[in-house]
Amino acid sequence: MVRNMDVKIENNLDGFIENNPNSIIVTDNENKIVMINDHAKKLFYEQIRFMGKNIFTVAKFFESIAVGNGEVYKLTLNDTVLKVITFKHKPTNYNIYMLIQEVSLSDHEDTIKYKQHIIDELNEIFEGSYDGILVTDGDGKILYVNSSYERVAAIKREDMWGKSMRDLFNPVWMPNAVSYVVAEQKRVISKKQVTKDGRNIIVTGTPIFDKKGGIKKIVINARDISEIYELREELVKERQINRTYLENYNDFIENNPSNDQFLLAVSDPIKKVYEMAKKVANFQTTVLVTGESGTGKEVIANCIYKNSLRQDKQFIPINCGAIPDNLLESELYGYERGTFTGANTTGKSGLFEMADGGTIFLDEIGETSLDLQVKLLRFLETKEVRRIGGGIGKHVDVRIIAATNRDLAKMVEEGSFREDLYYRLNVVRINVPPLRNRIMDIAPLSMMYLQQFNTKYNQSKELTLDVIKEFEKYIWPGNIRELKNVIENMVIISNNEYLQVDDIPWIKEKNNVQKVVNILENTDNLTLLQATELLEKSMLESAKMKYKKTRLIGEKLGVDQSTIVRKLKKYNL
C-alpha cells in the first residue's frame, strides 16, 4: 500500500498535496518546510508562517518521528487524535508528513445516532402529512410510501414496496404513472386520476436532479380532491341557505320605499307600534313617542303624519336638544321686526305659523327649559301663537307629536319637567321597543340598509348568515341608528364580496385590542412611548368607527376636539 502511494507521490507531488483530504507537510533534508496544504495550515493555525520554518519549531513532537520507516505514529494536537504517516519523495529526497484525524468508535456511534434521529424525524413528518407521498428513483422504482398515500390512492403499501410504478398500471384507474411522464419531460407534472373506489385524486410528480442534470428521484404528492369537491358543495349549500334565508325579505324590501322614513315592521313588537300609530293618525290629539335613542321615534311620528288627514300639509321635525332655548323660542314663535339686534328687518314667521294645518314633531322634548315648557303648554291649550316682540296672537291649527328618550315621569318628580305639560303631551303614548327586543327585524333592516349603501357607494356586497347571527346576539345600545352605521361601515371598509363576521366593527375592535394586548405583554422590544402610541392609536380607531364625528370622539375619550383632530392626523386615521 505504501509502495503504491509512493508511486502516486512521485508522479505528481503538487497535486497529491493540494488535493489530499488530509493534512500534508513537506520538508527538505534540513527539516525546513517547503510545502504545506490548507488542511495542515488550519490544523496548526493559519497565522503561523510555515514556509522556511524548521518543522521541529512548529511542533516539537516531530523530532520523535523517523521518516520513511513505514511506521504509523499517534499524537494528540488540540484535543484531536492524529495518525502520522511519513514518506520519502525519491526524486527530491523530501520528507512527507501525512496527518490523518482519527475518528473514535464513539464518534461513529454519535454520528449514526444523529443520522438515525434525522431519519426518524423525517419519517414522522412524512407520516404526519395528510397528503399522500411516494418517492421513486429515476427509473420509477418505488423507494418510499407514506400511510396517507395508501389511503388517498387506495393501494396497500405492501403491494408497492420495492416495485416499479409499471407494476401498478391499470387500464381503468391508472393507465399511466405520473413518474414516467416526469422522467420523460423532466418537469413538474400534475394529473387527475380516479382511484379503484371511484374517488377523484390529483397527483403531482416533482423531479429531483443530480449534479449532471439527470433525474435521481421523483417525489409524488397525491391529494384527494373528492374532499375538496365536497367542501365546495358544502360552501355552495351554505351560500344557498344564506340566500334563501335572506331572500325571504327581498320582495318585502324591494316593494317598499328604501329610505330612512320607511317603517319596516316584521316582528310582533314593532307591528303593534305600527298598528297603534295608524290607529291614532286620524285623531287630532297630541301623541308622545318614547323609546331609547336610535329606535326610530321620528319614523313613527312620520308614520302618524303619513296616515293622517294632514298628510298633504307641512310636517316639520325639530330637535329641541340641538337648538339653544333662546333660539328655539324664536324658531317656534317667530319675531317682529326690530325685536333684537341682527333680527330680520321685516320680522319672521315661526314654525308654528308655517305648519298651520300640518304637523310639528318636537323631538327630544325632555331637553327644553322650564321657561319654554310654560310657553309650549300655553300653545297646546290655546293653539295661539304670539311672535316675540309682538302684541297680537294668532290662532293656528297645528298637531303636536313629541318624542323623548328620557323618563319624563321621573323628571316631573325631580322638578325638571312640568307636570301639567307632561300630562298634556301624554294623551296617547307610543313606546318604541329597542332593537334587542325585536330580533326578527334585524335581518330585514340589515338587508334594507345594505341595499341603500350598495346603491350609494356603487357596491355589490352581500350579507352572510353568520353575520346576521352575530347581529342577533348583539345588544345594540345605539339601536337602529347603530345598525345603520355598522352596515355602512362594513360596505365601505370590507374587502369581501360576502361580508364576514370579522368585518363587524366590534369584532374587528376586539381583535385589534387583543393584538395590542399581545404586543404589550411582550414589552422587551417596546419603549414606553411606543407602547403608549400603540394603545392610543387603537382607542382612536375604535372611537372613530363608533362615533365618526371628532366632537363626539373627544367627548367619549375625555379630550377636546382639536386634540382628536391632531391625533387622527398624526396616525393617518
Side-chain angles (χ1 to χ4, degrees):
M1 177 182 173
V2 172
R3 205 174 282 124
N4 290 337
M5 191 171 288
D6 284 341
V7 173
K8 291 180 180 178
I9 294 171
E10 287 176 13
N11 292 339
N12 187 2
L13 180 59
D14 290 340
F16 172 77
I17 292 171
E18 291 304 323
N19 298 322
N20 201 294
N22 301 301
S23 301
I24 304 289
I25 302 175
V26 181
T27 66
D28 60 16
N29 289 329
E30 297 178 358
N31 296 313
K32 291 181 179 179
I33 298 173
V34 293
M35 293 182 188
I36 183 168
N37 68 0
D38 290 337
H39 295 298
K41 288 179 182 178
K42 291 176 182 176
L43 193 62
F44 290 96
Y45 303 112
E46 290 184 276
Q47 63 266 31
I48 297 175
R49 289 188 175 184
F50 296 98
M51 302 305 292
K53 267 187 174 292
N54 190 303
I55 193 170
F56 302 149
T57 63
V58 174
K60 197 169 181 60
F61 60 76
F62 284 110
E63 291 180 358
S64 61
I65 296 174
V67 179
N69 66 355
E71 289 188 28
V72 177
Y73 299 84
K74 280 193 176 184
L75 62 93
T76 302
L77 179 66
N78 302 325
D79 297 325
T80 301
V81 178
L82 300 168
K83 288 181 180 179
V84 183
I85 304 173
T86 62
F87 307 94
K88 275 285 185 181
H89 184 243
K90 290 178 181 178
T92 61
N93 208 29
Y94 285 165
N95 301 320
I96 300 174
Y97 297 85
M98 180 186 293
L99 290 78
I100 303 171
Q101 187 171 342
E102 188 175 76
V103 181
S104 66
L105 182 60
S106 62
D107 290 336
H108 277 301
E109 289 175 349
D110 289 343
T111 302
I112 292 169
K113 285 180 181 177
Y114 177 71
K115 288 181 178 178
Q116 187 60 48
H117 171 72
I118 295 297
I119 292 169
D120 291 343
E121 288 285 321
L122 289 173
N123 275 329
E124 286 180 8
I125 292 169
F126 291 150
E127 282 300 306
S129 171
Y130 189 72
D131 289 348
I133 298 173
L134 180 144
V135 181
T136 74
D137 62 14
D139 296 323
K141 183 180 179 181
I142 297 169
L143 304 176
Y144 174 84
V145 184
N146 74 346
S147 56
S148 291
Y149 193 91
E150 184 179 25
R151 171 182 56 82
V152 174
I155 308 172
K156 292 182 178 180
R157 278 201 278 190
E158 53 263 32
D159 295 336
M160 291 184 275
W161 287 123
K163 292 185 179 180
S164 170
M165 291 300 291
R166 284 192 176 89
D167 299 330
L168 304 178
F169 283 177
N170 183 288
V172 177
W173 51 270
M174 192 188 284
N176 193 9
V178 73
S179 58
Y180 292 111
V181 183
V182 171
E184 182 182 313
Q185 300 187 18
K186 292 189 176 182
R187 64 184 179 90
V188 177
I189 298 292
S190 292
K191 291 174 68 68
K192 182 182 173 184
Q193 293 180 349
V194 180
T195 63
K196 285 189 285 187
D197 54 3
R199 287 177 297 106
N200 293 296
I201 65 173
I202 191 82
V203 181
T204 301
T206 304
I208 298 175
F209 299 97
D210 58 26
K211 291 181 180 179
K212 294 181 180 180
I215 294 178
K216 64 177 182 179
K217 287 184 181 64
I218 297 171
V219 178
I220 298 171
N221 181 281
R223 174 172 292 183
D224 188 345
I225 56 175
S226 296
E227 296 174 2
I228 297 174
Y229 288 162
E230 289 171 6
L231 288 172
R232 183 177 176 275
E233 288 177 6
E234 284 180 18
L235 180 61
V236 170
K237 285 179 182 178
E238 184 179 346
R239 287 185 173 177
Q240 188 58 45
I241 291 170
N242 285 345
R243 289 179 181 276
T244 303
Y245 175 80
L246 297 174
E247 282 176 358
N248 289 334
Y249 303 106
N250 276 351
D251 292 341
F252 179 77
I253 292 167
E254 288 174 3
N255 293 331
N256 288 281
S258 182
N259 58 60
D260 289 342
Q261 299 305 323
F262 167 58
L263 178 59
L264 191 151
V266 175
S267 66
D268 288 339
I270 200 66
K271 280 182 178 178
K272 290 177 181 178
V273 169
Y274 182 47
E275 289 168 3
M276 176 65 76
K278 288 197 297 183
K279 186 173 183 178
V280 302
N282 281 324
F283 293 90
Q284 304 309 309
T285 185
T286 305
V287 179
L288 178 63
V289 184
T290 60
E292 295 177 9
S293 179
T295 51
K297 296 185 288 296
E298 184 175 345
V299 176
I300 299 301
N302 199 273
C303 174
I304 295 170
Y305 160 71
K306 288 288 188 183
N307 287 278
S308 73
L309 298 173
R310 297 171 180 261
Q311 60 181 304
D312 295 328
K313 302 293 183 179
Q314 289 268 30
F315 176 80
I316 302 177
I318 303 168
N319 189 328
C320 300
I323 306 174
D325 278 343
N326 57 336
L327 292 180
L328 181 58
E329 183 179 354
S330 64
E331 285 293 314
L332 291 173
Y333 292 91
Y335 55 82
E336 297 292 354
R337 63 179 180 177
T339 302
F340 48 83
T341 304
N344 194 312
T345 54
T346 59
K348 181 184 176 183
S349 299
L351 294 175
F352 283 145
E353 287 183 65
M354 293 170 60
D356 192 11
T359 304
I360 280 189
F361 173 53
L362 297 176
D363 197 8
E364 304 298 344
I365 190 71
E367 307 301 320
T368 55
S369 66
L370 289 170
D371 288 342
L372 186 58
Q373 289 173 28
V374 173
K375 295 176 181 179
L376 287 174
L377 176 63
R378 176 174 171 76
F379 173 76
L380 288 170
E381 290 176 341
T382 65
K383 291 298 175 71
E384 184 181 272
V385 59
R386 183 176 298 158
R387 293 184 183 182
I388 298 173
I392 302 174
K394 180 182 179 181
H395 186 272
V396 292
D397 177 20
V398 176
R399 183 180 190 176
I400 299 294
I401 301 174
T404 183
N405 62 358
R406 301 183 67 177
D407 186 344
L408 294 186
K410 186 176 180 181
M411 291 179 68
V412 168
E413 292 177 7
E414 295 170 348
S416 56
F417 199 86
R418 291 185 62 91
E419 184 177 15
D420 44 9
L421 178 60
Y422 171 63
Y423 288 119
R424 190 68 183 81
L425 292 172
N426 196 24
V427 176
V428 175
R429 180 176 177 177
I430 298 176
N431 185 59
V432 185
L435 188 56
R436 60 183 172 275
N437 292 345
R438 36 185 291 209
I439 302 297
M440 286 183 64
D441 294 320
I442 290 175
L445 282 169
S446 300
M447 292 283 289
M448 182 180 76
Y449 290 131
L450 180 66
Q451 185 184 75
Q452 288 181 25
F453 293 121
N454 271 338
T455 302
K456 181 177 179 179
Y457 298 115
N458 193 28
Q459 297 291 308
S460 56
K461 304 289 175 69
E462 293 190 38
L463 283 166
T464 58
L465 191 56
D466 287 341
V467 169
I468 295 297
K469 287 178 179 177
E470 195 64 36
F471 280 179
E472 290 175 348
K473 290 190 293 184
Y474 186 59
I475 61 171
W476 297 106
N479 292 292
I480 295 175
R481 186 183 295 121
E482 184 182 4
L483 174 63
K484 180 181 177 183
N485 289 343
V486 165
I487 296 292
E488 183 175 14
N489 175 279
M490 293 172 72
V491 168
I492 295 171
I493 301 298
S494 175
N495 295 319
N496 299 313
E497 177 187 356
Y498 287 86
L499 298 177
Q500 306 295 319
V501 171
D502 287 344
D503 295 320
I504 301 173
W506 62 83
I507 300 293
K508 188 180 292 184
E509 177 188 345
K510 182 180 177 181
N511 293 340
N512 288 339
V513 169
Q514 188 58 52
K515 286 179 185 176
V516 172
V517 170
N518 292 339
I519 293 172
L520 292 179
E521 283 179 349
N522 182 17
T523 57
D524 292 345
N525 299 320
L526 281 179
T527 64
L528 182 60
L529 177 61
Q530 289 171 329
T532 303
E533 288 180 340
L534 192 66
L535 184 59
E536 187 174 65
K537 182 181 179 182
S538 177
M539 292 181 68
L540 285 168
E541 285 176 334
S542 173
K544 186 182 178 185
M545 279 196 296
K546 280 184 180 178
Y547 308 114
K548 294 190 176 182
K549 295 182 179 179
T550 53
R551 180 181 59 80
L552 289 175
I553 296 172
E555 287 178 5
K556 296 298 180 181
L557 297 184
V559 295
D560 56 61
Q561 186 178 15
S562 61
T563 300
I564 295 298
V565 172
R566 179 168 51 81
K567 296 285 187 182
L568 292 174
K569 187 176 181 181
K570 174 183 176 180
Y571 296 114
N572 293 319
L573 299 175

